[in-house]
Amino acid sequence: MEAVMSFMDKLKNRMQMGKGHAKEATGRETRDPYLESEGRRDRAAGGVKQVGEHAKDAVRNVKKSFGR
């Protein structure tokens, strides 16, 4: 069950990063600095969450390798 949750969380984070990238590009094209900065925030937030998910995976793998 944890693997499914982890996969879904990673997918959500990637979607947030993609949405942020699209907002940033749209803001750049329309010369809307607010939309561009909002896109950067979305990308950064998704990236930070993604790092957290990778850290959880690393801890899970270490626990598994020590048989806990």
Side-chain angles (χ1 to χ4, degrees), residues 40-65:
R40 274 196 292 269
R41 279 193 309 268
D42 283 346
R43 276 189 10 185
V48 168
K49 290 177 187 176
Q50 198 73 329
V51 167
E53 289 299 321
H54 288 292
K56 283 185 208 176
D57 288 346
V59 168
R60 208 173 288 129
N61 288 338
V62 167
K63 282 183 178 179
K64 202 180 290 183
S65 68

Side-chain angles (χ1 to χ4, degrees), residues 13-52:
N13 298 338
R14 294 296 297 185
M15 292 296 290
Q16 183 176 10
M17 290 169 63
K19 182 176 78 172
H21 185 71
K23 279 184 183 180
E24 188 177 0
T26 301
R28 203 174 302 125
E29 289 296 319
T30 60
R31 296 186 178 150
D32 182 353
Y34 176 75
L35 187 60
E36 189 176 351
S37 67
E38 188 177 332
R40 274 196 292 269
R41 279 193 309 268
D42 283 346
R43 276 189 10 185
V48 168
K49 290 177 187 176
Q50 198 73 329
V51 167

